[in-house]
mmCIF file of all heavy atoms in Angstrom:
data_model
loop_
_atom_site.group_PDB
_atom_site.id
_atom_site.type_symbol
_atom_site.label_atom_id
_atom_site.label_comp_id
_atom_site.label_asym_id
_atom_site.label_seq_id
_atom_site.Cartn_x
_atom_site.Cartn_y
_atom_site.Cartn_z
ATOM 1 N N SER L 10 35.189 -18.531 12.654
ATOM 2 C CA SER L 10 34.551 -17.871 13.799
ATOM 3 C C SER L 10 34.477 -18.796 15.008
ATOM 4 O O SER L 10 34.620 -18.356 16.143
ATOM 5 C CB SER L 10 33.125 -17.427 13.443
ATOM 6 O OG SER L 10 33.147 -16.480 12.419
ATOM 7 N N LEU L 11 34.247 -20.074 14.742
ATOM 8 C CA LEU L 11 34.114 -21.047 15.824
ATOM 9 C C LEU L 11 35.465 -21.605 16.267
ATOM 10 O O LEU L 11 35.527 -22.383 17.223
ATOM 11 C CB LEU L 11 33.192 -22.191 15.392
ATOM 12 C CG LEU L 11 31.744 -21.786 15.118
ATOM 13 C CD1 LEU L 11 30.959 -22.958 14.562
ATOM 14 C CD2 LEU L 11 31.094 -21.241 16.378
ATOM 15 N N GLY L 12 36.528 -21.211 15.592
ATOM 16 C CA GLY L 12 37.855 -21.709 15.949
ATOM 17 C C GLY L 12 38.017 -23.195 15.659
ATOM 18 O O GLY L 12 38.736 -23.895 16.367
ATOM 19 N N LEU L 13 37.340 -23.665 14.606
ATOM 20 C CA LEU L 13 37.398 -25.083 14.243
ATOM 21 C C LEU L 13 38.290 -25.268 13.023
ATOM 22 O O LEU L 13 38.263 -24.462 12.093
ATOM 23 C CB LEU L 13 35.996 -25.624 13.955
ATOM 24 C CG LEU L 13 34.999 -25.546 15.106
ATOM 25 C CD1 LEU L 13 33.618 -26.032 14.658
ATOM 26 C CD2 LEU L 13 35.487 -26.336 16.304
ATOM 27 N N SER L 14 39.055 -26.335 13.026
ATOM 28 C CA SER L 14 39.963 -26.646 11.932
ATOM 29 C C SER L 14 39.192 -27.137 10.718
ATOM 30 O O SER L 14 38.431 -28.103 10.797
ATOM 31 C CB SER L 14 40.953 -27.724 12.381
ATOM 32 O OG SER L 14 41.589 -28.316 11.270
ATOM 33 N N ARG L 15 39.427 -26.491 9.593
ATOM 34 C CA ARG L 15 38.760 -26.893 8.352
ATOM 35 C C ARG L 15 39.117 -28.326 7.992
ATOM 36 O O ARG L 15 38.260 -29.120 7.593
ATOM 37 C CB ARG L 15 39.149 -25.927 7.243
ATOM 38 C CG ARG L 15 38.470 -26.213 5.945
ATOM 39 C CD ARG L 15 38.788 -25.108 4.926
ATOM 40 N NE ARG L 15 38.463 -25.576 3.609
ATOM 41 C CZ ARG L 15 39.263 -25.478 2.576
ATOM 42 N NH1 ARG L 15 40.443 -24.918 2.686
ATOM 43 N NH2 ARG L 15 38.895 -25.936 1.399
ATOM 44 N N ALA L 16 40.396 -28.687 8.128
ATOM 45 C CA ALA L 16 40.846 -30.038 7.778
ATOM 46 C C ALA L 16 40.186 -31.090 8.672
ATOM 47 O O ALA L 16 39.733 -32.131 8.192
ATOM 48 C CB ALA L 16 42.365 -30.127 7.878
ATOM 49 N N THR L 17 40.116 -30.812 9.967
ATOM 50 C CA THR L 17 39.508 -31.760 10.900
ATOM 51 C C THR L 17 38.024 -31.942 10.607
ATOM 52 O O THR L 17 37.524 -33.067 10.557
ATOM 53 C CB THR L 17 39.696 -31.278 12.355
ATOM 54 O OG1 THR L 17 41.098 -31.198 12.623
ATOM 55 C CG2 THR L 17 39.032 -32.211 13.344
ATOM 56 N N ILE L 18 37.331 -30.848 10.393
ATOM 57 C CA ILE L 18 35.896 -30.919 10.122
ATOM 58 C C ILE L 18 35.644 -31.618 8.784
ATOM 59 O O ILE L 18 34.749 -32.461 8.677
ATOM 60 C CB ILE L 18 35.242 -29.520 10.162
ATOM 61 C CG1 ILE L 18 35.424 -28.886 11.553
ATOM 62 C CG2 ILE L 18 33.773 -29.598 9.768
ATOM 63 C CD1 ILE L 18 34.905 -29.704 12.722
ATOM 64 N N SER L 19 36.432 -31.317 7.769
ATOM 65 C CA SER L 19 36.290 -31.979 6.472
ATOM 66 C C SER L 19 36.496 -33.483 6.599
ATOM 67 O O SER L 19 35.759 -34.275 6.009
ATOM 68 C CB SER L 19 37.276 -31.404 5.454
ATOM 69 O OG SER L 19 36.965 -30.069 5.171
ATOM 70 N N ARG L 20 37.490 -33.890 7.373
ATOM 71 C CA ARG L 20 37.751 -35.314 7.601
ATOM 72 C C ARG L 20 36.570 -35.963 8.306
ATOM 73 O O ARG L 20 36.114 -37.045 7.926
ATOM 74 C CB ARG L 20 39.032 -35.512 8.413
ATOM 75 C CG ARG L 20 39.345 -36.981 8.715
ATOM 76 C CD ARG L 20 40.613 -37.174 9.541
ATOM 77 N NE ARG L 20 40.812 -36.242 10.638
ATOM 78 C CZ ARG L 20 40.202 -36.309 11.811
ATOM 79 N NH1 ARG L 20 39.340 -37.256 12.062
ATOM 80 N NH2 ARG L 20 40.455 -35.423 12.760
ATOM 81 N N LYS L 21 36.043 -35.296 9.320
ATOM 82 C CA LYS L 21 34.905 -35.849 10.066
ATOM 83 C C LYS L 21 33.655 -35.924 9.186
ATOM 84 O O LYS L 21 32.868 -36.860 9.295
ATOM 85 C CB LYS L 21 34.646 -35.042 11.337
ATOM 86 C CG LYS L 21 35.716 -35.281 12.391
ATOM 87 C CD LYS L 21 35.421 -34.550 13.683
ATOM 88 C CE LYS L 21 36.493 -34.875 14.718
ATOM 89 N NZ LYS L 21 36.144 -34.423 16.047
ATOM 90 N N GLU L 22 33.472 -34.940 8.315
ATOM 91 C CA GLU L 22 32.342 -34.987 7.380
ATOM 92 C C GLU L 22 32.498 -36.166 6.424
ATOM 93 O O GLU L 22 31.550 -36.917 6.190
ATOM 94 C CB GLU L 22 32.234 -33.685 6.585
ATOM 95 C CG GLU L 22 31.708 -32.519 7.377
ATOM 96 C CD GLU L 22 31.755 -31.218 6.603
ATOM 97 O OE1 GLU L 22 32.691 -30.992 5.807
ATOM 98 O OE2 GLU L 22 30.845 -30.398 6.823
ATOM 99 N N LYS L 23 33.707 -36.317 5.877
ATOM 100 C CA LYS L 23 33.989 -37.403 4.928
ATOM 101 C C LYS L 23 33.789 -38.765 5.580
ATOM 102 O O LYS L 23 33.231 -39.683 4.983
ATOM 103 C CB LYS L 23 35.416 -37.268 4.406
ATOM 104 C CG LYS L 23 35.813 -38.317 3.402
ATOM 105 C CD LYS L 23 37.245 -38.122 2.937
ATOM 106 C CE LYS L 23 37.726 -39.385 2.269
ATOM 107 N NZ LYS L 23 39.004 -39.811 2.765
ATOM 108 N N ASP L 24 34.250 -38.896 6.822
ATOM 109 C CA ASP L 24 34.144 -40.163 7.546
ATOM 110 C C ASP L 24 32.790 -40.346 8.227
ATOM 111 O O ASP L 24 32.556 -41.374 8.854
ATOM 112 C CB ASP L 24 35.246 -40.258 8.613
ATOM 113 C CG ASP L 24 36.646 -40.268 8.023
ATOM 114 O OD1 ASP L 24 36.780 -40.522 6.798
ATOM 115 O OD2 ASP L 24 37.606 -40.012 8.766
ATOM 116 N N ALA L 25 31.921 -39.346 8.141
ATOM 117 C CA ALA L 25 30.597 -39.368 8.779
ATOM 118 C C ALA L 25 30.714 -39.656 10.276
ATOM 119 O O ALA L 25 30.001 -40.485 10.830
ATOM 120 C CB ALA L 25 29.666 -40.374 8.097
ATOM 121 N N THR L 26 31.637 -38.950 10.921
ATOM 122 C CA THR L 26 31.826 -39.119 12.362
ATOM 123 C C THR L 26 31.262 -37.921 13.121
ATOM 124 O O THR L 26 30.949 -36.884 12.549
ATOM 125 C CB THR L 26 33.317 -39.306 12.718
ATOM 126 O OG1 THR L 26 34.049 -38.165 12.268
ATOM 127 C CG2 THR L 26 33.896 -40.554 12.069
ATOM 128 N N MET L 27 31.168 -38.103 14.413
ATOM 129 C CA MET L 27 30.606 -37.071 15.281
ATOM 130 C C MET L 27 31.672 -36.043 15.654
ATOM 131 O O MET L 27 32.860 -36.359 15.742
ATOM 132 C CB MET L 27 30.059 -37.709 16.553
ATOM 133 C CG MET L 27 29.022 -38.796 16.295
ATOM 134 S SD MET L 27 27.594 -38.190 15.422
ATOM 135 C CE MET L 27 26.514 -37.920 16.783
ATOM 136 N N LEU L 28 31.209 -34.830 15.925
ATOM 137 C CA LEU L 28 32.095 -33.797 16.448
ATOM 138 C C LEU L 28 32.381 -34.100 17.910
ATOM 139 O O LEU L 28 31.575 -34.723 18.605
ATOM 140 C CB LEU L 28 31.430 -32.421 16.323
ATOM 141 C CG LEU L 28 31.111 -31.938 14.907
ATOM 142 C CD1 LEU L 28 30.372 -30.611 14.964
ATOM 143 C CD2 LEU L 28 32.375 -31.812 14.074
ATOM 144 N N SER L 29 33.513 -33.614 18.391
ATOM 145 C CA SER L 29 33.845 -33.759 19.807
ATOM 146 C C SER L 29 32.887 -32.914 20.649
ATOM 147 O O SER L 29 32.134 -32.096 20.117
ATOM 148 C CB SER L 29 35.285 -33.283 20.053
ATOM 149 O OG SER L 29 35.354 -31.866 19.886
ATOM 150 N N LYS L 30 32.944 -33.084 21.953
ATOM 151 C CA LYS L 30 32.098 -32.272 22.844
ATOM 152 C C LYS L 30 32.356 -30.790 22.629
ATOM 153 O O LYS L 30 31.424 -30.003 22.522
ATOM 154 C CB LYS L 30 32.357 -32.634 24.312
ATOM 155 C CG LYS L 30 31.729 -33.925 24.739
ATOM 156 C CD LYS L 30 31.803 -34.097 26.239
ATOM 157 C CE LYS L 30 33.001 -34.924 26.607
ATOM 158 N NZ LYS L 30 33.071 -35.267 28.021
ATOM 159 N N ASP L 31 33.626 -30.409 22.579
ATOM 160 C CA ASP L 31 33.979 -29.004 22.409
ATOM 161 C C ASP L 31 33.477 -28.460 21.074
ATOM 162 O O ASP L 31 32.889 -27.381 21.007
ATOM 163 C CB ASP L 31 35.500 -28.830 22.523
ATOM 164 C CG ASP L 31 35.926 -27.388 22.356
ATOM 165 O OD1 ASP L 31 35.460 -26.530 23.137
ATOM 166 O OD2 ASP L 31 36.723 -27.107 21.436
ATOM 167 N N GLU L 32 33.691 -29.209 20.001
ATOM 168 C CA GLU L 32 33.234 -28.778 18.686
ATOM 169 C C GLU L 32 31.707 -28.689 18.650
ATOM 170 O O GLU L 32 31.146 -27.721 18.126
ATOM 171 C CB GLU L 32 33.725 -29.761 17.610
ATOM 172 C CG GLU L 32 35.228 -29.769 17.437
ATOM 173 C CD GLU L 32 35.744 -31.011 16.716
ATOM 174 O OE1 GLU L 32 35.044 -32.050 16.683
ATOM 175 O OE2 GLU L 32 36.880 -30.938 16.206
ATOM 176 N N SER L 33 31.044 -29.693 19.215
ATOM 177 C CA SER L 33 29.581 -29.703 19.255
ATOM 178 C C SER L 33 29.044 -28.502 20.024
ATOM 179 O O SER L 33 28.079 -27.862 19.602
ATOM 180 C CB SER L 33 29.072 -30.999 19.900
ATOM 181 O OG SER L 33 29.401 -32.119 19.117
#
């Protein structure tokens, strides 16, 4: 729904990194 990539978000979750401005 948010147009966010599952792979990108999973990687960011795994790496404990912040979302980009657009994603946030």
Side-chain angles (χ1 to χ4, degrees):
S10 297
L11 296 174
L13 300 176
S14 163
R15 183 174 164 228
T17 299
I18 300 304
S19 294
R20 179 181 42 78
K21 288 183 178 191
E22 286 174 325
K23 181 180 164 229
D24 297 343
T26 59
M27 304 300 263
L28 298 176
S29 69
K30 284 190 264 186
D31 180 58
E32 294 162 339
S33 295

